[in-house]
Amino acid sequence: MLTIHSYPIAVALCVLTMTCWGSWANMQKLAAGSWRFELFYWDFVAGLLLTSLAFALTLGSTGQTGRTFIADLAQADASSIAWAMLGGAVWNAGNLLLVAAIAVAGMAIGFPIGGGIAWVLGILVNFVLVIVEGGVNPGNSTLLFVGIAIIVVAIGLSMSAYRNLTSAVKQGGAKGILLSVAAGVFIAFFYGLVVRSSDPAFVTGGAGKLMPLTAAFFFTLGAFLTTFVLNPFFMSRPVEGPPVRFADYFNGSLNAHLTGFLGGVIWSTGISASFIAVGAAGPAVSYALSNAAPVVAILWGALVWREFAAAPRKVNIQLAGMFLCFLAGLVRITYSRL
């Protein structure tokens, strides 16, 4: 299986993950006018699963290190598979809650709160897991936490910028805030769960675990299967708009289905890159760099979707400050391992 031992290459893969995770929602934005997210999500998880399987059968079956995907499946124990699938289930619940929060409260509340909590809490969770497993955080913990603090400031600036764009804000009250917080908490824990399934030669844990791309496959399988439990709930009790029927899915155009599938391809490419990188970067740094996705999503909104085209000067100053803080935090997190 293809494995990475170079820290700079691992960082590059984390940046790829960050870009994918901050970009996949563009596919939903393209289809949003006529295609509800609940329907989009079925194609999204199909793309998620099939892409991870393709990576496992190709990159996961090449290289001179570790086991091939098929050999890894043969030796995998039930607990390793369960940890990876549980991570997928937890992430899937959080992702659907995040989408619900954005539908209720808008980007100004849903994305900064949900994505921000997931980002910061997830870094701390993965840092603690390394210590609990008897390990020592590789690198400079002070730099890591300084980077986290600066990124928190960046998230705060992004929230403030969105709130100053009154046309982009929906007031969802306590409901939107609670959905955002719940989404962030769920998403924060998925990475640590999947890491527990991974082979100790590449991440941490006990013997008999999974190679990175095998873990990614079972992660997406867990997300795919739990969608059949979770998404019908959102379809029958939508946070916004009338209920959606399963029959509505088959009325979608080919383009609508392809946008959902491509969204899953993009996200799954990110998770595969992240799991390949985690052995060389470490869980805390890998999670921190990969989950800068909220800032990438805001960049798409500002530069491509022109959400800030009519923004007052104050908002542009806040955005500039956010980008500078993000870059400063990113540099500190990256150098915390060197």
Side-chain angles (χ1 to χ4, degrees), residues 49 52 85 216-226:
L49 179 63
S52 70
M85 293 184 67
F217 167 73
F218 282 112
F219 166 88
T220 58
L221 179 61
F224 178 81
L225 293 176
T226 53

Side-chain angles (χ1 to χ4, degrees), residues 1-260:
M1 179 172 286
L2 177 69
T3 54
I4 299 298
H5 302 285
S6 166
Y7 182 61
I9 294 176
V11 168
L13 288 173
C14 290
V15 172
L16 172 62
T17 299
M18 173 185 72
T19 304
C20 290
W21 287 355
S23 302
W24 73 269
N26 286 314
M27 297 301 103
Q28 166 59 14
K29 196 170 182 72
L30 286 171
S34 59
W35 197 235
R36 289 274 293 269
F37 184 85
E38 297 93 335
L39 302 175
F40 170 93
Y41 211 78
W42 294 112
D43 296 307
F44 171 77
V45 293
L48 199 74
L49 179 63
L50 292 176
T51 302
S52 70
L53 178 61
F55 275 118
L57 291 171
T58 53
L59 296 181
S61 300
T62 61
Q64 304 299 317
T65 307
R67 298 173 294 272
T68 64
F69 175 60
I70 300 301
D72 207 27
L73 288 178
Q75 65 85 48
D77 58 45
S79 63
S80 297
I81 294 172
W83 280 118
M85 293 184 67
L86 178 60
V90 169
W91 170 82
N92 202 31
N95 200 47
L96 280 165
L97 284 168
L98 181 59
V99 171
I102 292 171
V104 170
M107 291 293 292
I109 295 175
F111 214 99
I113 294 178
I117 289 175
W119 196 359
V120 175
L121 181 58
I123 296 170
L124 298 175
V125 167
N126 285 289
F127 181 88
V128 170
L129 282 175
V130 172
I131 305 303
V132 170
E133 292 287 348
V136 177
N137 181 58
N140 189 320
S141 297
T142 301
L143 273 179
L144 176 64
F145 285 105
V146 169
I148 293 171
I150 295 173
I151 287 172
V152 169
V153 174
I155 292 169
L157 287 170
S158 70
M159 182 187 299
S160 179
Y162 266 117
R163 281 177 170 167
N164 283 316
L165 288 173
T166 56
S167 62
V169 178
K170 302 175 185 177
Q171 296 301 327
K175 181 179 181 181
I177 293 174
L178 290 174
L179 284 169
S180 301
V181 171
V185 171
F186 270 101
I187 295 172
F189 284 93
F190 91 85
Y191 209 85
L193 292 171
V194 184
V195 163
R196 291 183 65 90
S197 74
S198 301
D199 191 297
F202 306 100
V203 191
T204 184
K209 304 297 184 181
L210 305 174
M211 296 289 289
L213 291 178
T214 309
F217 167 73
F218 282 112
F219 166 88
T220 58
L221 179 61
F224 178 81
L225 293 176
T226 53
T227 299
F228 290 88
V229 177
L230 298 173
N231 203 23
F233 176 84
F234 284 90
M235 293 173 67
S236 61
R237 296 174 178 81
V239 296
E240 187 177 64
V244 182
R245 302 172 304 154
F246 279 101
D248 295 333
Y249 173 81
F250 299 100
N251 294 326
S253 66
L254 177 61
N255 284 341
H257 290 299
L258 287 176
T259 56

